Amino acid sequence: MNQVNLKQKRRDSVRFNILLLLAVFLCVGATTRAQVSIGTAEAPVAGALLQLKEKKNVLNDSLNAYKGLLLPRVTLSDKNQLFPMFLANPDNPASGPNTTYASDKTKLDKIHTGLVVYNLTEDKSKDLCLGLNQWNGKEWVCFQHEVGNAVGHLVSCNDLNIFGRYKSPNAHPVALHPDDESLDGSNYITLKLEITEPGAYNITVTPEYASAANGETNGYFFSDDGIFWERGVHTIMLRASGVPFWYTPVGSQGDKLTVMMNGKTLTLNNGTPCTKNIVVENFSKKPNYTIDCSQKTVHGTYLFNRPLNPQENYLSIWIEMNSTDTSVQGATVYLETDEVDGISFASIPTTITFADRIAGRKEIILRGKGKPTSAKINKMTVSSNSATGKTTCSVDVMVVYAKTKILGIGNTSTYGYNIADQNGNVNMSQYFEYGACKVLKASLNFGKDTTSLVKVDSLLFVDVDIPNAGDLQNLIDNHEPDIIVMAYNYRPTDVTTFDALDDYLQKNGVVIAAIEDTNTAELLFRRTLKNNAITCVSYKPFGTIYTFRKADKSRSVNLVNDELLNGPFGDVREKYWGEDASLTAAMTNVPDEDVIVYSDGRFNNMQPAPDEEDMITICRFKDRNLVWIGDGGFWAAGLNDVEIKASANCPFYYDDDFKPVPKLFGNTFSTDIHNSIFFANMMSWAIKTAQLKGFNTP
C-alpha cells in the first residue's frame, strides 16, 4: 500500500506557492519598473533601460562583471531582409517571406531598427559578414570589418587638380640653396576615386624631375592614408611635403606625376594613366611684365556652398611684356588672387618662351579653389611676381544661390495666397501675377543681375492649389522641392500628410507655413515638437496690427543678427505687420527653447497683458527649417494697384519696381506695416538655408 507523507506534501505545496508568489512579484516588478538590473539587486544607472552587472557598488568605469551577454546566433541570408526572423520556413532561406512580412515589410523594417544578432556565416557576394550585425531599418550592418587594402580607380583625369605655388632658385643639378622654400598648406593635390572594394589606403605622388635622366625625384611629394569604409566615389586631398630641388627648365612640361595607391599605379577604369605635370618656378629670375586689366574674363558659374571646379571656374588674364627684352625669356610668370569669402584663384607657374616674348603678350589661366561662403559679388585682387613693381588688377566674381525650386500650396483663385501661382486662375482673368510672386520674380530683388539684391541663379515654381489628403508625399517625391510654402486655405489634418511633412523636415526641407486654421496649426506644432500640451486659439480679427520683436522674451538675446527680422530687404524689428481678412491664429504653451518668437500677442500698439506676451503669432523652429505665421493671408495682394494700396484685406505692398515697401494699414490706415519686407527677408533666408543645409544639398 502506498503511503502518503502529508507533512512533506504540505511543505511542497508551501514551497510551490512561495515560488509562484515570487515569480508573480518579479513579473509585476519587471513590468512596472521602466529600468532593470540583471545580476545584482542594485538599481540601474539613470541612462540605461537594462543593466547587466555582477559586482555591487561599482559606480565608475571599472570592472563590474566577470561574464558577458550571449546574443542569439542566426544565419542571415539577405542584406535587405529581416530573414530568418520572417521567413516562411526559418530553416529554408529560399522559402521567402511569411505573409506578415510580405504584407507589412516597410513598417516591420522600421520598428526592428536596432535589432542585434550574431551571424554564423559570411557571404561577400551579398555583403553579409560573420559576427555581430545590427539592423538599421533598411539593411544589416556589420559591427566589425576585416580591413584589407582598398581597391579602386581614378574617376577622371580632369578631377586630378594641383594647387599652390612651386618654386626653386636652383638649376639642375645644383645643390640646395639657403633661399629654398618648403611647401606648406597651400600646396596640395585633389583627386576623385571610385572605390570598388573598401579597405585601407596609402596614396602617394612623388614627382619625377622634369629632365630626369634616371628617374630622379625633385625633393617633394604628396601623400594621404586612411580607410575607405564604403564603396563609391571619394574625394581625396594629398598634402605636400618637402622642398623642390630644381626649377623646370625652359621647354619642359614640368615634373611628371604618378599617383600610387598601396604600391600600385592608379589609372582610370579602362587602365589609362592620367598624365599631369607640375611646373617649378624659377624664382631666381623675375620677369618684367604688366597685367592688362582690360583683358580679363571670369569663366564658369559660382554657386553658394558648392566647391569650385578648377576646370570650369577660372580666370583668364592677359599679361604684356617688351618684345625686345631678352631677360624675360625663360623666366616664370605667376598670378594669384587674395581669398574672399572662401574662394581664391592661382595660375600654374608659366615659363615665358621665345614665341611669347616676340608676341609681347600671353594669356594666363588662374584656376579657382575653395567653397563660396556668401552669395554676392566678390571683388578679387590679382597680384603678380613681376619685377616691375607691385602689378595688380581687380576682378569681380559673382556668387549666386543655385536654382531653387519652390512648391506653392494654397488657394490660386484669389489674392495671390499661392506664391507659385504663375498666371492666376483661368476663371479669374482679371487677376494678374500676384504680389508675392511679382516680388520673387523681379530681378531687382531675386536674380543674377549685378543689381539683384539676393543673388540666385533662378527660382522655379510649382503650384498645386489645395492637394488632397495624402498627396503631399507624392508631390515631394515627384518635384523634390527645395522650399515648400503653404498659405490660405491649406488645412490638412490627416496623419499621412503630417507624416510626409515631418519626414521632409527631418531631411532638412525648408517649410514656410502661413496657416491660420487652428486645428492644422496645432497639429503642426504638436507633431514637430512632440508636445501635446501645445494649443492654438483664434485670436484678433482683420486689420489688427502686431509688433515684430527686437529681442527674445527675456530681453536678454537681441535679434539684430536674425536674417528674417534684419535681412537684405530691411530691418523690421519693433515695426509692425497686419492681419488681412480673418482671425489670427495664436499658439500657447510652446516651450521657449523650441522656437525663436518673432511676433507675440501684442496688438494695436497696446501694452500687452502677460498672457498676450506668452502667445506666438510668428516664429521659427530652432531644430527644423520651419517658419510658421498665424495668418494665411500674410502676403495677400489685390486685383490692381488701387486695391493693393487701399484694401484692408491686402497687407502686402511694393513699389513700381516690385521692391517690397511699407504700407499704411489698420482700421484707420494710419500705421505702416512691413509684411512684404518680412516676407522678402524670409524667402532670402529660405533660399540660403536650402542651399546651405537643405533637402537637396549635396
Side-chain angles (χ1 to χ4, degrees):
M1 171 179 180
N2 292 332
Q3 293 181 335
V4 178
N5 188 331
L6 295 179
K7 287 186 177 180
Q8 182 63 41
K9 189 173 182 179
R10 282 196 295 270
R11 289 193 193 103
D12 290 343
S13 176
V14 169
R15 287 171 185 163
F16 175 77
N17 290 335
I18 291 173
L19 288 172
L20 179 62
L21 182 62
L22 179 60
V24 171
F25 174 76
L26 288 174
C27 290
V28 172
T31 57
T32 56
R33 288 170 54 194
Q35 297 171 281
V36 177
S37 277
I38 295 178
T40 177
E42 292 178 352
V45 293
L49 288 174
L50 173 64
Q51 176 177 266
L52 308 179
K53 63 182 292 189
E54 294 174 273
K55 297 185 68 176
K56 297 180 179 180
N57 301 318
V58 178
L59 303 178
N60 53 24
D61 58 355
S62 59
L63 183 146
N64 69 356
Y66 302 103
K67 299 175 184 177
L69 172 67
L70 184 60
L71 291 172
R73 297 183 292 272
V74 303
T75 299
L76 301 180
S77 58
D78 194 305
K79 179 79 170 177
N80 305 106
Q81 307 285 347
L82 280 169
F83 295 161
M85 299 79 188
F86 291 100
L87 280 170
N89 178 357
D91 291 319
N92 180 11
S95 64
N98 61 24
T99 54
T100 301
Y101 195 55
S103 64
D104 210 4
K105 173 177 168 33
T106 300
K107 180 181 178 181
L108 289 170
D109 282 351
K110 288 182 179 180
I111 64 176
H112 281 81
T113 298
L115 181 67
V116 178
V117 298
Y118 186 95
N119 183 30
L120 291 171
T121 62
E122 181 175 29
D123 189 337
K124 289 186 177 180
S125 67
K126 296 180 180 180
D127 198 19
L128 292 170
C129 73
L130 177 71
L132 292 178
N133 281 255
Q134 69 164 336
W135 179 257
N136 68 2
K138 296 181 179 179
E139 62 181 10
W140 292 105
V141 179
C142 291
F143 270 61
Q144 71 284 331
H145 289 273
E146 292 183 6
V147 180
N149 283 339
V151 177
H153 58 266
L154 293 167
V155 174
S156 166
C157 292
N158 289 334
D159 292 319
L160 199 166
N161 296 297
I162 304 160
F163 297 92
R165 186 177 181 182
Y166 303 81
K167 52 188 180 178
S168 170
N170 309 313
H172 183 272
V174 176
L176 291 180
H177 188 277
D179 291 337
D180 289 341
E181 295 185 18
S182 297
L183 301 181
D184 58 25
S186 66
N187 302 101
Y188 60 93
I189 290 173
T190 61
L191 51 86
K192 284 186 179 179
L193 297 177
E194 175 80 28
I195 298 302
T196 55
E197 188 66 38
Y201 69 88
N202 176 256
I203 302 175
T204 59
V205 175
T206 304
E208 180 182 313
Y209 176 58
S211 298
N214 301 306
E216 293 172 286
T217 59
N218 201 8
Y220 63 104
F221 63 93
F222 305 82
S223 65
D224 186 51
D225 55 55
I227 297 175
F228 292 120
W229 292 108
E230 297 179 351
R231 295 178 175 85
V233 176
H234 299 261
T235 299
I236 298 297
M237 175 185 288
L238 309 178
R239 296 286 186 184
S241 299
V243 179
F245 289 165
W246 309 294
Y247 59 76
T248 300
V250 176
S252 172
Q253 292 182 325
D255 295 346
K256 180 182 177 182
L257 305 185
T258 301
V259 184
M260 309 286 290
M261 184 168 77
N262 299 330
K264 298 180 180 180
T265 301
L266 273 174
T267 65
L268 299 176
N269 193 32
N270 61 8
T272 303
C274 289
T275 302
K276 292 280 182 171
N277 299 86
I278 291 179
V279 175
V280 179
E281 173 188 347
N282 175 5
F283 78 93
S284 68
K285 185 177 181 181
K286 290 187 175 182
N288 292 308
Y289 67 90
T290 58
I291 300 175
D292 183 359
C293 289
S294 67
Q295 294 290 305
K296 57 189 179 184
T297 307
V298 179
H299 297 266
T301 300
Y302 297 79
L303 300 178
F304 169 75
N305 200 42
R306 307 289 174 88
L308 270 55
N309 182 337
Q311 304 305 317
E312 298 176 0
N313 302 111
Y314 63 93
L315 311 178
S316 60
I317 299 177
W318 287 83
I319 63 169
E320 296 181 337
M321 66 204 80
N322 188 335
S323 61
T324 63
D325 182 5
T326 57
S327 68
V328 75
Q329 188 172 323
T332 303
V333 171
Y334 183 78
L335 302 181
E336 64 181 349
T337 71
D338 51 346
E339 182 175 313
V340 180
D341 284 349
I343 62 173
S344 61
F345 299 82
S347 70
I348 295 174
T350 305
T351 303
I352 301 298
T353 66
F354 172 79
D356 295 331
R357 176 176 67 81
I358 296 301
R361 61 201 311 265
K362 183 176 181 63
E363 183 184 29
I364 305 297
I365 302 298
L366 290 75
R367 302 289 178 185
K369 67 175 182 178
K371 182 189 293 185
T373 59
S374 64
K376 64 182 182 67
I377 296 176
N378 294 321
K379 189 170 289 294
M380 321 284 294
T381 299
V382 181
S383 58
S384 73
N385 69 333
S386 173
T388 312
K390 183 70 173 177
T391 304
T392 62
C393 189
S394 65
V395 178
D396 290 339
V397 178
M398 181 188 294
V399 178
V400 301
Y401 296 117
K403 291 180 181 179
T404 303
K405 183 179 288 187
I406 301 173
L407 173 63
I409 299 177
N411 192 311
T412 59
S413 64
T414 55
Y415 294 110
Y417 300 121
N418 190 325
I419 69 166
D421 186 20
Q422 294 297 287
N423 300 304
N425 186 285
V426 293
N427 297 319
M428 299 288 289
S429 58
Q430 70 267 40
Y431 280 85
F432 46 76
E433 290 179 338
Y434 305 126
C437 190
K438 277 191 171 184
V439 166
L440 290 172
K441 293 182 69 176
S443 60
L444 183 69
N445 300 321
F446 298 89
K448 53 185 176 182
D449 295 345
T450 56
T451 56
S452 300
L453 197 55
V454 176
K455 302 291 191 294
V456 59
D457 183 83
S458 61
L459 298 177
L460 309 176
F461 297 94
V462 179
D463 71 87
V464 293
D465 200 80
I466 306 297
N468 295 322
D471 283 351
L472 183 59
Q473 188 62 61
N474 291 332
L475 291 169
I476 293 171
D477 292 341
N478 293 336
H479 298 288
E480 297 182 335
D482 298 290
I483 304 168
I484 298 177
V485 181
M486 305 170 177
Y488 183 86
N489 190 26
Y490 188 48
R491 46 186 180 185
T493 56
D494 60 291
V495 172
T496 306
T497 294
F498 279 94
D499 283 343
L501 184 61
D502 189 51
D503 181 68
Y504 180 73
L505 286 167
Q506 288 190 46
K507 294 176 179 176
N508 297 322
V510 179
V511 175
I512 308 296
I515 295 178
E516 63 190 40
D517 181 85
T518 55
N519 291 327
T520 300
E522 189 172 275
L523 280 171
L524 174 65
F525 274 72
R526 288 184 173 186
R527 283 291 302 266
T528 305
L529 297 178
K530 308 295 186 290
N531 184 343
N532 288 331
I534 296 173
T535 58
C536 185
V537 297
S538 292
Y539 196 39
K540 298 299 177 181
F542 73 93
T544 300
I545 305 294
Y546 297 93
T547 305
F548 288 113
R549 281 183 169 182
K550 69 174 182 179
D552 69 344
K553 182 180 176 183
S554 67
R555 308 293 193 270
S556 61
V557 179
N558 194 312
L559 297 174
V560 63
N561 294 320
D562 190 282
E563 296 176 60
L564 285 82
L565 293 179
N566 190 9
F569 293 89
D571 185 354
V572 300
R573 291 172 303 140
E574 287 292 281
K575 296 177 183 176
Y576 308 106
W577 68 273
E579 163 69 43
D580 71 328
S582 57
L583 295 173
T584 312
M587 307 304 305
T588 61
N589 300 326
V590 180
D592 293 340
E593 63 268 20
D594 289 334
V595 296
I596 299 170
V597 178
Y598 294 136
S599 172
D600 50 35
R602 289 180 291 171
F603 64 95
N604 293 352
N605 305 331
M606 295 176 62
Q607 190 69 24
D611 61 331
E612 291 167 351
E613 197 167 13
D614 288 336
M615 290 180 171
I616 298 173
T617 49
I618 301 177
C619 69
R620 174 163 61 90
F621 288 60
K622 292 182 179 179
D623 293 333
R624 292 286 186 268
N625 297 331
L626 170 61
V627 176
W628 173 76
I629 301 172
D631 178 12
F634 185 86
W635 49 79
L639 290 169
N640 49 55
D641 287 343
V642 173
E643 183 173 324
I644 288 173
K645 293 177 181 178
S647 176
N649 295 336
C650 303
F652 196 85
Y653 195 44
Y654 47 85
D655 64 16
D656 293 339
D657 294 320
F658 310 129
K659 176 184 177 182
V661 294
K663 175 185 180 179
L664 286 173
F665 197 71
N667 294 324
T668 60
F669 294 97
S670 59
T671 303
D672 270 338
I673 61 168
H674 296 73
N675 292 42
S676 60
I677 296 171
F678 180 83
F679 169 83
N681 282 344
M682 177 176 63
M683 294 307 299
S684 173
W685 165 85
I687 293 167
K688 177 181 178 180
T689 302
Q691 304 295 327
L692 188 62
K693 188 181 179 182
F695 184 73
N696 295 310
T697 300

